[in-house]
Amino acid sequence: RNAGEDAGQGEDGERVRMAIQQADAEQRPALVETFIRQQVARGLGVAADRLDGEQPLNELGLDSLMGVELQHRVERTLAVSLPAGELMQTPTITRLVEAVLARIDSRGPRAAHRPRAPVEPQPVLLRSGGVETPLFCLHPAGGQLDIYRHLVSALNSGRPVYGIQSRLLDSGFDEEFGSLTEMARAYAGQIRRAYASGPYLLLGFSLGGLIALATARQMETLGANVAMIGLVDCSLRWADGDAPRERILATLIAETYDLAQRELGSVKSLAPDRLLAESKAVAARALRQPPEQARAVVSQWLRDGGLLTGAMVEQEVDRLLLRLNAHLTLIEGYRPARTAARIHLWRGDSGLTTPDEDGRWAGVTGEFHSRTLPGSHFSLMTPPDVGRLAGEIDGALAAAERAPAKAAAG
């Protein structure tokens, strides 16, 4: 099998990067094209030689979330930086190859590793088309938007969908915001610049639900009409220390690991019983450490167990753990102010929240709806469970749009 098929994953990815960087000017274009073709083919599940290099990527079947994943793999493997929206500006394989070559050739072999100046982040267009009010999805802990991929595909196609991702991913920043309020204020600005008129519809999975709440409140202080905040398996208890942290952390470790193995191939497969047992042990050890050292416990478990698929993956996982820690720290002590928006919460029957928490939302909104669906924390966002969730969200969004606007909370 061609090494490009596994590029971006471990040692094969490093080998491809080194081959491209060390190739002469005549050989490099063919190597880059092979790499890009294999990555597009991987996302679409087709043979690379069947792809037309001049056909727009969206016509080939590459949706916006696949594009985000493709961009991350290209950047990670080739050590180049593609500005947000690059795939929208270079919509064919041929033009994307040209864009990557321009960065490699013009910047020299070492320039790809130089830090770039921070740029103002913009919402990521996850799905275009339609005339209905757009939906804005806020990133969960870790900052990425990949978790929304299946949900976006299952939602009503008449609604554009945007994502707000962490500025640590592709905007040149090396530090996260200093507070959740600062982050929410910046995200509110991004959303209003992308869609000036309102009403606004926000959605957050897991910790992203708390980020959505904080962002909605910032928007309301500016007079914006936030019609709905959708939460997927999100709990207010996470911010005040009242939650069973060891169980939650163990579940997050196990389900994140399973997701990384199934969706990205960045870790090796583990039997469910072993994964659950090891996740519990790792969570217990991590919580005994100071917060800044907790991620080292998870990294050591992955390294010592030989669970990573290569050195480059280890670096990527370490960066992910760094972002996770930053976002978990931001929500500590968060007390959401009351919002005029209606709130819908969907939880899994084996997820991380329980119906007895619903009473806690009384001080946050005057209109709260909750539903318990079959599934776990992460399975709600993947097939087949995500289809049922998408139908619920579509109904709530339509109802929110029909409802009369409410005055922003004081």
Side-chain angles (χ1 to χ4, degrees):
R1 153 166 98 167
N2 191 307
E5 293 182 46
D6 293 317
Q9 297 184 36
E11 295 175 359
D12 281 333
E14 293 183 64
R15 180 160 54 86
V16 170
R17 181 182 64 176
M18 293 303 296
I20 290 174
Q21 289 179 342
Q22 294 173 2
D24 60 35
E26 293 181 356
Q27 297 173 320
R28 187 174 291 160
L31 292 175
V32 172
E33 181 175 356
T34 296
F35 168 75
I36 297 294
R37 279 183 172 275
Q38 294 289 1
Q39 297 310 301
V40 173
R42 173 185 166 192
L44 296 175
V46 300
D49 58 9
R50 293 179 54 193
L51 298 174
D52 181 351
E54 301 299 330
Q55 187 174 1
L57 294 174
N58 62 339
E59 293 182 9
L60 291 173
L62 197 81
D63 61 32
S64 298
L65 264 181
M66 291 179 185
V68 172
E69 294 169 358
L70 172 62
Q71 179 172 330
H72 288 166
R73 288 200 299 271
V74 170
E75 291 181 326
R76 182 169 63 245
T77 305
L78 303 187
V80 297
S81 294
L82 298 174
E86 184 71 41
L87 288 174
M88 302 300 292
Q89 301 167 24
T90 57
T92 68
I93 290 175
T94 299
R95 290 179 62 188
L96 182 57
V97 169
E98 292 171 353
V100 171
L101 284 170
R103 282 162 176 78
I104 294 174
D105 294 340
S106 67
R107 296 166 63 185
R110 291 184 171 273
H113 299 282
R114 296 174 191 159
R116 58 192 176 105
V119 297
E120 187 67 30
Q122 301 294 326
V124 177
L125 181 61
L126 303 181
R127 190 183 65 195
S128 60
V131 296
E132 297 180 26
T133 304
L135 173 66
F136 289 87
C137 300
L138 285 295
H139 68 78
Q144 295 167 294
L145 297 170
D146 310 59
I147 192 65
Y148 291 108
R149 172 183 174 181
H150 299 292
L151 177 63
V152 169
S153 297
L155 288 172
N156 173 10
S157 61
R159 187 181 306 281
V161 183
Y162 291 86
I164 306 294
Q165 66 182 5
S166 169
R167 69 178 187 175
L168 297 179
L169 288 173
D170 68 354
S171 299
F173 290 89
D174 55 12
E175 291 186 359
E176 193 50 281
F177 292 101
S179 69
L180 182 58
T181 298
E182 184 184 356
M183 172 185 278
R185 187 178 298 120
Y187 290 174
Q190 285 189 45
I191 291 170
R192 298 201 73 187
R193 286 192 295 272
Y195 186 66
S197 60
Y200 295 95
L201 305 170
L202 308 185
L203 181 74
F205 166 73
S206 192
L207 181 139
L210 298 183
I211 296 175
L213 279 171
T215 300
R217 190 66 194 101
Q218 290 298 316
M219 297 177 74
E220 288 180 333
T221 63
L222 299 174
N225 171 26
V226 181
M228 191 194 95
I229 306 168
L231 311 173
V232 181
D233 218 42
C234 173
S235 174
L236 283 175
R237 296 171 63 190
W238 297 344
D240 61 19
D242 188 32
R245 291 185 176 272
E246 185 173 323
R247 181 180 70 83
I248 289 174
L249 182 58
T251 302
L252 286 174
I253 290 172
E255 295 200 359
T256 301
Y257 189 99
D258 182 61
L259 193 70
Q261 194 279 320
R262 288 186 291 106
E263 298 280 326
L264 305 176
S266 54
V267 291
K268 298 178 181 178
S269 179
L270 283 180
D273 289 348
R274 178 185 170 188
L275 176 58
L276 183 59
E278 293 193 14
S279 297
K280 289 179 178 178
V282 171
R285 291 200 302 272
L287 290 174
R288 289 196 294 267
Q289 302 297 322
E292 65 274 9
Q293 297 177 21
R295 68 187 180 92
V297 174
V298 181
S299 295
Q300 184 176 1
W301 165 58
L302 295 171
R303 287 195 304 271
D304 292 352
L307 301 176
L308 297 167
T309 56
M312 287 187 68
V313 171
E314 180 174 344
Q315 297 170 16
E316 184 66 20
V317 168
D318 191 62
R319 287 192 289 268
L320 171 60
L321 292 173
L322 184 65
R323 296 195 302 271
L324 282 167
N325 183 69
H327 296 147
L328 290 170
T329 300
L330 281 182
I331 68 164
E332 290 181 358
Y334 170 56
R335 296 291 182 271
R338 190 172 180 83
T339 174
R342 64 171 63 188
I343 294 178
H344 286 262
L345 169 66
W346 296 275
R347 62 170 60 86
D349 57 9
S350 56
L352 297 182
T353 69
T354 55
D356 61 7
E357 299 178 32
D358 288 357
R360 300 177 65 116
W361 295 97
V364 178
T365 179
E367 185 174 350
F368 175 72
H369 309 269
S370 71
R371 286 270 288 166
T372 300
L373 304 176
S376 65
H377 187 65
F378 277 108
S379 79
L380 284 174
M381 302 295 286
T382 57
D385 293 338
V386 72
R388 185 180 290 105
L389 174 64
E392 292 271 342
I393 292 175
D394 278 334
L397 292 171
E401 286 185 286
R402 291 193 301 267
K406 298 179 181 179

Short mmCIF file of all heavy atoms in Angstrom, two decimals, residues 315-351:
data_model
loop_
_atom_site.label_atom_id
_atom_site.label_comp_id
_atom_site.label_asym_id
_atom_site.label_seq_id
_atom_site.Cartn_x
_atom_site.Cartn_y
_atom_site.Cartn_z
N GLN A 315 3.37 13.80 19.64
CA GLN A 315 3.41 15.26 19.74
C GLN A 315 2.01 15.85 19.63
O GLN A 315 1.65 16.78 20.36
CB GLN A 315 4.32 15.83 18.64
CG GLN A 315 5.77 15.40 18.76
CD GLN A 315 6.57 15.78 17.52
OE1 GLN A 315 6.14 16.63 16.74
NE2 GLN A 315 7.72 15.17 17.35
N GLU A 316 1.22 15.33 18.70
CA GLU A 316 -0.14 15.85 18.51
C GLU A 316 -1.00 15.58 19.74
O GLU A 316 -1.78 16.43 20.17
CB GLU A 316 -0.77 15.21 17.27
CG GLU A 316 -2.14 15.74 16.91
CD GLU A 316 -2.12 17.20 16.48
OE1 GLU A 316 -1.04 17.70 16.10
OE2 GLU A 316 -3.18 17.83 16.54
N VAL A 317 -0.88 14.38 20.31
CA VAL A 317 -1.65 14.04 21.50
C VAL A 317 -1.25 14.93 22.67
O VAL A 317 -2.10 15.39 23.44
CB VAL A 317 -1.46 12.55 21.87
CG1 VAL A 317 -2.00 12.25 23.26
CG2 VAL A 317 -2.14 11.66 20.84
N ASP A 318 0.05 15.22 22.79
CA ASP A 318 0.49 16.09 23.88
C ASP A 318 -0.09 17.49 23.72
O ASP A 318 -0.50 18.12 24.70
CB ASP A 318 2.02 16.15 23.91
CG ASP A 318 2.53 16.83 25.17
OD1 ASP A 318 2.27 16.30 26.27
OD2 ASP A 318 3.17 17.88 25.07
N ARG A 319 -0.16 17.98 22.48
CA ARG A 319 -0.76 19.31 22.26
C ARG A 319 -2.25 19.28 22.58
O ARG A 319 -2.80 20.25 23.13
CB ARG A 319 -0.52 19.75 20.81
CG ARG A 319 0.90 20.17 20.51
CD ARG A 319 1.01 20.87 19.17
NE ARG A 319 0.83 19.94 18.08
CZ ARG A 319 1.82 19.30 17.47
NH1 ARG A 319 3.06 19.47 17.87
NH2 ARG A 319 1.58 18.49 16.45
N LEU A 320 -2.92 18.17 22.23
CA LEU A 320 -4.34 18.04 22.56
C LEU A 320 -4.56 18.05 24.07
O LEU A 320 -5.45 18.74 24.58
CB LEU A 320 -4.91 16.75 21.96
CG LEU A 320 -6.32 16.35 22.40
CD1 LEU A 320 -7.33 17.43 22.01
CD2 LEU A 320 -6.72 15.01 21.80
N LEU A 321 -3.73 17.32 24.81
CA LEU A 321 -3.86 17.29 26.27
C LEU A 321 -3.60 18.67 26.86
O LEU A 321 -4.23 19.06 27.85
CB LEU A 321 -2.90 16.26 26.85
CG LEU A 321 -3.21 14.79 26.53
CD1 LEU A 321 -2.09 13.89 27.02
CD2 LEU A 321 -4.54 14.38 27.14
N LEU A 322 -2.69 19.41 26.27
CA LEU A 322 -2.41 20.77 26.74
C LEU A 322 -3.65 21.64 26.57
O LEU A 322 -4.03 22.40 27.47
CB LEU A 322 -1.23 21.36 25.97
CG LEU A 322 -0.75 22.74 26.40
CD1 LEU A 322 -0.20 22.69 27.82
CD2 LEU A 322 0.31 23.26 25.44
N ARG A 323 -4.31 21.52 25.42
CA ARG A 323 -5.52 22.30 25.19
C ARG A 323 -6.65 21.86 26.11
O ARG A 323 -7.41 22.69 26.63
CB ARG A 323 -5.96 22.19 23.72
CG ARG A 323 -4.97 22.76 22.71
CD ARG A 323 -5.59 22.95 21.34
NE ARG A 323 -6.12 21.72 20.78
CZ ARG A 323 -5.42 20.87 20.04
NH1 ARG A 323 -4.14 21.10 19.79
NH2 ARG A 323 -5.99 19.79 19.54
N LEU A 324 -6.79 20.55 26.30
CA LEU A 324 -7.82 20.04 27.21
C LEU A 324 -7.64 20.63 28.60
O LEU A 324 -8.61 21.10 29.22
CB LEU A 324 -7.74 18.51 27.28
CG LEU A 324 -8.35 17.72 26.13
CD1 LEU A 324 -7.91 16.27 26.21
CD2 LEU A 324 -9.87 17.81 26.15
N ASN A 325 -6.42 20.63 29.09
CA ASN A 325 -6.16 21.16 30.42
C ASN A 325 -6.49 22.65 30.49
O ASN A 325 -7.08 23.13 31.46
CB ASN A 325 -4.70 20.92 30.80
CG ASN A 325 -4.39 21.39 32.21
OD1 ASN A 325 -4.85 20.81 33.18
ND2 ASN A 325 -3.59 22.43 32.33
N ALA A 326 -6.13 23.40 29.44
CA ALA A 326 -6.41 24.84 29.42
C ALA A 326 -7.90 25.11 29.48
O ALA A 326 -8.36 26.00 30.21
CB ALA A 326 -5.80 25.46 28.15
N HIS A 327 -8.69 24.33 28.74
CA HIS A 327 -10.13 24.57 28.70
C HIS A 327 -10.83 24.12 29.97
O HIS A 327 -11.77 24.76 30.44
CB HIS A 327 -10.73 23.89 27.47
CG HIS A 327 -10.21 24.46 26.18
ND1 HIS A 327 -10.03 23.71 25.04
CD2 HIS A 327 -9.80 25.72 25.87
CE1 HIS A 327 -9.56 24.48 24.08
NE2 HIS A 327 -9.41 25.69 24.56
N LEU A 328 -10.38 23.01 30.54
CA LEU A 328 -10.95 22.57 31.81
C LEU A 328 -10.66 23.57 32.91
O LEU A 328 -11.50 23.82 33.79
CB LEU A 328 -10.40 21.19 32.18
CG LEU A 328 -10.88 20.03 31.30
CD1 LEU A 328 -10.09 18.76 31.61
CD2 LEU A 328 -12.36 19.78 31.50
N THR A 329 -9.49 24.19 32.87
CA THR A 329 -9.13 25.21 33.87
C THR A 329 -10.01 26.45 33.72
O THR A 329 -10.41 27.07 34.72
CB THR A 329 -7.64 25.59 33.72
OG1 THR A 329 -6.84 24.42 33.92
CG2 THR A 329 -7.25 26.65 34.75
N LEU A 330 -10.35 26.81 32.48
CA LEU A 330 -11.14 28.01 32.24
C LEU A 330 -12.52 27.94 32.87
O LEU A 330 -13.07 28.97 33.29
CB LEU A 330 -11.29 28.26 30.73
CG LEU A 330 -10.11 28.88 29.99
CD1 LEU A 330 -10.47 29.08 28.53
CD2 LEU A 330 -9.69 30.20 30.61
N ILE A 331 -13.12 26.75 32.94
CA ILE A 331 -14.50 26.68 33.43
C ILE A 331 -14.59 26.55 34.95
O ILE A 331 -15.69 26.60 35.51
CB ILE A 331 -15.27 25.50 32.79
CG1 ILE A 331 -14.72 24.16 33.27
CG2 ILE A 331 -15.26 25.62 31.28
CD1 ILE A 331 -15.66 23.00 32.98
N GLU A 332 -13.46 26.35 35.62
CA GLU A 332 -13.50 26.20 37.07
C GLU A 332 -14.09 27.45 37.72
O GLU A 332 -13.63 28.57 37.47
CB GLU A 332 -12.10 25.93 37.61
CG GLU A 332 -11.56 24.55 37.24
CD GLU A 332 -10.18 24.31 37.82
OE1 GLU A 332 -9.63 25.22 38.47
OE2 GLU A 332 -9.64 23.20 37.60
N GLY A 333 -15.10 27.27 38.51
CA GLY A 333 -15.73 28.39 39.19
C GLY A 333 -16.71 29.18 38.34
O GLY A 333 -17.23 30.20 38.80
N TYR A 334 -16.98 28.72 37.11
CA TYR A 334 -17.90 29.45 36.25
C TYR A 334 -19.32 29.42 36.80
O TYR A 334 -19.84 28.36 37.15
CB TYR A 334 -17.87 28.84 34.84
CG TYR A 334 -18.94 29.35 33.90
CD1 TYR A 334 -19.08 30.71 33.64
CD2 TYR A 334 -19.81 28.47 33.27
CE1 TYR A 334 -20.05 31.17 32.76
CE2 TYR A 334 -20.78 28.91 32.39
CZ TYR A 334 -20.90 30.27 32.15
OH TYR A 334 -21.87 30.73 31.29
N ARG A 335 -19.94 30.57 36.89
CA ARG A 335 -21.33 30.70 37.33
C ARG A 335 -22.11 31.42 36.24
O ARG A 335 -22.00 32.65 36.11
CB ARG A 335 -21.43 31.47 38.65
CG ARG A 335 -20.75 30.80 39.82
CD ARG A 335 -21.50 29.53 40.23
NE ARG A 335 -20.89 28.88 41.38
CZ ARG A 335 -19.93 27.99 41.32
NH1 ARG A 335 -19.44 27.62 40.13
NH2 ARG A 335 -19.42 27.44 42.41
N PRO A 336 -22.85 30.70 35.41
CA PRO A 336 -23.53 31.35 34.29
C PRO A 336 -24.58 32.35 34.75
O PRO A 336 -25.36 32.07 35.67
CB PRO A 336 -24.16 30.19 33.53
CG PRO A 336 -24.29 29.09 34.54
CD PRO A 336 -23.13 29.25 35.47
N ALA A 337 -24.58 33.51 34.10
CA ALA A 337 -25.63 34.51 34.36
C ALA A 337 -26.90 34.08 33.65
O ALA A 337 -26.89 33.27 32.72
CB ALA A 337 -25.17 35.88 33.86
N ARG A 338 -28.02 34.61 34.10
CA ARG A 338 -29.31 34.24 33.52
C ARG A 338 -29.38 34.72 32.07
O ARG A 338 -28.93 35.82 31.73
CB ARG A 338 -30.44 34.87 34.33
CG ARG A 338 -31.83 34.36 33.94
CD ARG A 338 -32.89 34.86 34.90
NE ARG A 338 -34.21 34.38 34.55
CZ ARG A 338 -34.69 33.19 34.88
NH1 ARG A 338 -33.94 32.35 35.57
NH2 ARG A 338 -35.91 32.82 34.52
N THR A 339 -29.96 33.90 31.21
CA THR A 339 -30.09 34.22 29.80
C THR A 339 -31.56 34.23 29.40
O THR A 339 -32.39 33.53 29.98
CB THR A 339 -29.34 33.20 28.92
OG1 THR A 339 -29.59 33.47 27.54
CG2 THR A 339 -29.78 31.77 29.22
N ALA A 340 -31.90 35.05 28.39
CA ALA A 340 -33.26 35.08 27.87
C ALA A 340 -33.50 33.96 26.86
O ALA A 340 -34.64 33.70 26.49
CB ALA A 340 -33.52 36.43 27.19
N ALA A 341 -32.43 33.29 26.44
CA ALA A 341 -32.57 32.23 25.43
C ALA A 341 -33.21 30.99 26.02
O ALA A 341 -33.02 30.67 27.19
CB ALA A 341 -31.19 31.89 24.87
N ARG A 342 -33.98 30.29 25.20
CA ARG A 342 -34.45 28.98 25.62
C ARG A 342 -33.26 28.01 25.54
O ARG A 342 -32.39 28.14 24.68
CB ARG A 342 -35.60 28.50 24.75
CG ARG A 342 -35.23 28.28 23.28
CD ARG A 342 -36.36 27.60 22.52
NE ARG A 342 -37.57 28.41 22.50
CZ ARG A 342 -38.74 27.99 22.03
NH1 ARG A 342 -38.86 26.75 21.57
NH2 ARG A 342 -39.78 28.77 22.02
N ILE A 343 -33.22 27.07 26.45
CA ILE A 343 -32.14 26.08 26.49
C ILE A 343 -32.72 24.70 26.29
O ILE A 343 -33.69 24.31 26.93
CB ILE A 343 -31.37 26.15 27.82
CG1 ILE A 343 -30.62 27.48 27.94
CG2 ILE A 343 -30.38 24.99 27.93
CD1 ILE A 343 -29.86 27.65 29.25
N HIS A 344 -32.11 23.95 25.37
CA HIS A 344 -32.46 22.55 25.16
C HIS A 344 -31.24 21.71 25.50
O HIS A 344 -30.14 21.97 25.01
CB HIS A 344 -32.85 22.29 23.70
CG HIS A 344 -34.19 22.81 23.32
ND1 HIS A 344 -35.33 22.03 23.30
CD2 HIS A 344 -34.59 24.06 22.95
CE1 HIS A 344 -36.36 22.75 22.92
NE2 HIS A 344 -35.95 24.00 22.71
N LEU A 345 -31.44 20.70 26.35
CA LEU A 345 -30.37 19.79 26.73
C LEU A 345 -30.73 18.38 26.30
O LEU A 345 -31.82 17.88 26.61
CB LEU A 345 -30.15 19.83 28.25
CG LEU A 345 -29.25 18.74 28.84
CD1 LEU A 345 -27.81 18.90 28.35
CD2 LEU A 345 -29.29 18.78 30.36
N TRP A 346 -29.80 17.73 25.57
CA TRP A 346 -29.95 16.34 25.20
C TRP A 346 -28.84 15.54 25.88
O TRP A 346 -27.66 15.85 25.71
CB TRP A 346 -29.88 16.16 23.68
CG TRP A 346 -31.00 16.85 22.97
CD1 TRP A 346 -32.25 16.36 22.73
CD2 TRP A 346 -30.98 18.18 22.40
NE1 TRP A 346 -33.01 17.28 22.04
CE2 TRP A 346 -32.26 18.41 21.82
CE3 TRP A 346 -30.02 19.18 22.30
CZ2 TRP A 346 -32.58 19.59 21.18
CZ3 TRP A 346 -30.33 20.36 21.67
CH2 TRP A 346 -31.61 20.57 21.11
N ARG A 347 -29.22 14.56 26.64
CA ARG A 347 -28.23 13.73 27.33
C ARG A 347 -28.35 12.28 26.88
O ARG A 347 -29.42 11.84 26.41
CB ARG A 347 -28.44 13.80 28.85
CG ARG A 347 -29.79 13.28 29.33
CD ARG A 347 -29.85 13.14 30.84
NE ARG A 347 -29.62 14.40 31.51
CZ ARG A 347 -30.57 15.30 31.78
NH1 ARG A 347 -31.83 15.06 31.41
NH2 ARG A 347 -30.29 16.40 32.40
N GLY A 348 -27.28 11.52 27.03
CA GLY A 348 -27.32 10.10 26.75
C GLY A 348 -27.75 9.33 27.98
O GLY A 348 -27.42 9.72 29.11
N ASP A 349 -28.46 8.24 27.79
CA ASP A 349 -28.92 7.47 28.96
C ASP A 349 -27.75 6.80 29.68
O ASP A 349 -27.89 6.36 30.82
CB ASP A 349 -29.99 6.45 28.57
CG ASP A 349 -29.53 5.47 27.50
OD1 ASP A 349 -28.33 5.45 27.16
OD2 ASP A 349 -30.38 4.71 27.00
N SER A 350 -26.57 6.74 29.03
CA SER A 350 -25.35 6.29 29.71
C SER A 350 -24.26 7.35 29.56
O SER A 350 -23.08 7.03 29.47
CB SER A 350 -24.88 4.95 29.14
OG SER A 350 -24.68 5.02 27.73
N GLY A 351 -24.68 8.62 29.52
CA GLY A 351 -23.74 9.73 29.37
C GLY A 351 -23.22 10.24 30.69
O GLY A 351 -23.21 9.53 31.70
#
